[in-house]
């Protein structure tokens, strides 16, 4: 039986991470385990910025965005020396297991630490939903709802001015946020790296729709494309329709998590602590067919996630 575990958040923050921390702490306590919070991800693990948590440590956080444990990127953790220091710190404190809430990079670190005898279980936390072993990652729903609300606001002004609004959403290299937001806000076109696009045919489509009485045009662009202002300029040039680009940026990472994020975070965390309790490490928790499951970290990292091509095609077909 594992009796003492730690919890940390690592990489980019995501709304719902606090709900996950809360559930890790409360689950561990309910199972009679001691639980320690580690600040700023692997940085805090290496430097010993670690404190014991009780039930009240996680009061009043379930509805808050961000992460009460803070997060960081830690280049030192990628080195042998950094990993040895982290292991030594765990041993000094008697931490036998660790819950790592983050993305693929954080899980690579968790695998390295597991190989050194510290049991690590990863929980997928990123707004991008780009982790292959899971249908869902904490923060995705909140980020998309934020993007949709902001795109709706842009549509108001766009409609008033007979303009085109090019909205760039986050997603690192993945188009999941873009395609879902595009559908949700009635975009005429979604542009992602996963599907070919052609600005000439988009311009033609816009002009035909204009002839047909359409007044505003929302084009959602995934950040991986990297040139939304240029796309707006090209569309304006080709169509004569005034166009503006807006990069939504980090606002998508903040805000109170939605029900979906709070519930998913809680389920992942409950399951992760259950694995550690049984002495199982080097796993990452995921969601498949709405069920919580777990995978070997290396196997999870080798998986490929399909793009939502069907959804993308629907967006293309009915955006006119
Ligand atoms: P995410 O977890 O969101 O993918 P990053 O890729 O920035 O975010 O990774 C977060 C942290 O995980 C890094 O700062 C580093 O400490 C650790 N990490 C990332 N990649 C590796 C790796 N290959 N080996 C060990 N640790 C890693
Ligand atoms: O992974 C989450 C994410 O917000 C991506 O969508 C984006 O590409 C990246 O992080 C931004 O990272 P940073 O906060 O370091 O600018």
């Amino acid at each position: 039986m594992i009796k003492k575990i730690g919890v940390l958040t690592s990489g980019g923050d995501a709304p719902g991470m606090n709900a996950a921390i809360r559930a890790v702490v409360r689950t561990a306590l309910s199972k009679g385990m001691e639980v320690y919070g580690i600040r700023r991800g692997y940085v805090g693990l290496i430097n010993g910025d670690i404190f014991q948590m009780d039930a009240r440590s996680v009061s009043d956080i379930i509805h808050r965005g961000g992460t009460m444990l803070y997060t960081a990127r830690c280049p030192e953790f990628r080195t042998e020396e950094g990993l040895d220091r982290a292991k030594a710190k765990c041993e000094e404190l008697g931490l036998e297991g660790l819950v790592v809430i983050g993305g693929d990079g954080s899980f690579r670190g968790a695998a390295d630490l597991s190989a050194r005898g510290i049991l690590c279980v990863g929980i997928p936390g990123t707004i991008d939903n780009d982790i292959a072993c899971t249908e869902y990652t904490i923060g995705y729903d909140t980020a998309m709802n934020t993007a949709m609300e902001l795109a709706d606001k842009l549509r108001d002004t766009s409609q008033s001015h007979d303009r085109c609004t090019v909205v760039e959403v986050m997603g690192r290299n993945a188009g999941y946020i873009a395609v879902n937001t595009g559908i949700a806000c009635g975009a005429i076109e979604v542009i992602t790296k996963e599907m070919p696009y052609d600005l000439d045919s988009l311009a033609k489509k816009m002009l035909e729709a204009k002839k047909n009485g359409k007044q505003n045009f929302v084009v959602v662009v995934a950040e991986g494309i990297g040139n939304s202002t240029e796309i707006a300029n090209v569309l304006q040039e080709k169509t004569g329709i005034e166009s503006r680009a807006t990069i939504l940026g980090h606002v998508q990472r903040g805000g109170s998590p939605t029900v979906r994020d709070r519930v998913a975070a809680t389920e992942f965390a409950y399951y992760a602590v259950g694995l550690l309790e049984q002495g199982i490490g080097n796993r990452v928790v995921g969601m498949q067919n709405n069920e919580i499951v777990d995978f070997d970290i290396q196997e999870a990292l080798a998986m490929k996630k399909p793009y939502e091509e069907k959804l993308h095609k629907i967006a293309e077909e009915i955006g006119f």
Side-chain angles (χ1 to χ4, degrees):
M1 265 284 280
I2 298 288
K3 279 289 175 199
K4 235 179 185 184
I5 65 167
V7 55
L8 59 82
T9 47
S10 170
D13 67 344
M17 281 186 165
N18 277 327
I21 296 166
R22 170 185 178 272
V24 167
V25 171
R26 297 273 173 88
T27 306
L29 294 174
S30 78
K31 290 177 183 294
M33 298 159 115
E34 280 181 35
V35 58
Y36 287 75
I38 300 157
R39 293 192 187 90
R40 296 182 178 81
Y42 296 127
V43 175
L45 189 61
I46 288 174
N47 298 332
D49 192 358
I50 301 172
F51 62 104
Q52 189 166 3
M53 300 180 88
D54 61 23
R56 297 286 73 77
S57 310
V58 289
S59 289
D60 201 32
I61 62 164
I62 196 165
H63 59 302
R64 297 188 198 282
T67 158
M68 65 156 307
L69 290 176
Y70 309 99
T71 185
R73 297 203 164 93
C74 178
E76 198 187 342
F77 198 70
R78 291 166 180 255
T79 66
E80 293 289 319
E81 201 205 342
L83 282 161
D84 289 343
R85 283 184 65 190
K87 178 184 156 108
K89 193 50 78 179
C90 290
E91 284 171 350
E92 184 190 319
L93 292 168
L95 293 181
E96 301 156 285
L98 211 59
V99 177
V100 172
I101 307 167
D104 279 347
S106 305
F107 298 158
R108 284 196 178 90
D112 290 347
L113 198 56
S114 294
R116 281 168 172 74
I118 310 297
L119 304 175
C120 293
V121 177
I123 292 181
T126 165
I127 64 163
D128 302 335
N129 204 29
D130 62 348
I131 299 178
C133 71
T134 183
E135 284 160 4
Y136 194 75
T137 61
I138 300 169
Y140 183 48
D141 190 55
T142 308
M144 286 192 297
N145 276 290
T146 301
M148 180 191 71
E149 277 169 30
L150 296 172
D152 286 349
K153 288 180 200 291
L154 289 166
R155 173 199 275 268
D156 288 346
T157 164
S158 189
Q159 170 82 3
S160 309
H161 286 263
D162 301 283
R163 276 177 178 161
C164 165
T165 184
V166 175
V167 189
E168 182 180 311
V169 299
M170 274 188 166
R172 204 178 292 243
N173 292 311
Y176 305 109
I177 296 180
V179 69
N180 284 275
T181 305
I183 290 268
C185 67
I188 190 164
E189 184 87 5
V190 178
I191 301 180
T192 67
K193 268 168 104 174
E194 290 90 341
M195 299 286 270
Y197 69 96
D198 170 28
L199 294 185
D200 281 323
S201 24
L202 173 56
K204 222 171 124 213
K205 189 174 170 188
M206 284 167 64
L207 286 173
E208 272 163 23
K210 191 179 159 81
K211 248 194 254 161
N212 208 18
K214 192 169 175 70
Q215 270 176 272
N216 79 74
F217 306 85
V218 178
V219 177
V220 175
V221 176
E223 71 168 325
I225 296 286
N227 51 7
S228 45
T229 304
E230 202 184 310
I231 288 173
N233 291 341
V234 171
L235 290 176
Q236 177 165 305
E237 213 171 275
K238 288 185 187 296
T239 61
I241 298 167
E242 237 191 323
S243 303
R244 298 280 189 275
T246 303
I247 299 169
L248 298 185
H250 286 81
V251 70
Q252 294 161 97
R253 286 238 298 260
S256 180
T258 58
V259 172
R260 175 114 213 247
D261 279 323
R262 296 182 202 191
V263 174
T266 303
E267 284 193 281
F268 284 145
Y270 185 83
Y271 190 104
V273 175
L275 290 175
L276 287 179
E277 184 194 23
Q278 298 167 61
I280 301 171
N282 196 40
R283 307 296 289 178
V284 56
V285 168
M287 191 184 287
Q288 294 289 349
N289 303 317
N290 255 349
E291 292 290 322
I292 310 297
V293 290
D294 61 287
F295 299 93
D296 171 271
I297 298 185
Q298 278 84 1
E299 280 173 23
L301 290 171
M303 291 177 183
K304 294 270 174 283
K305 192 169 195 167
Y307 179 60
E308 291 177 280
E309 209 171 308
K310 271 194 196 152
L311 207 54
H312 195 114
K313 286 190 173 146
I314 293 173
E316 304 262 285
E317 199 177 322
I318 67 171
F320 62 87

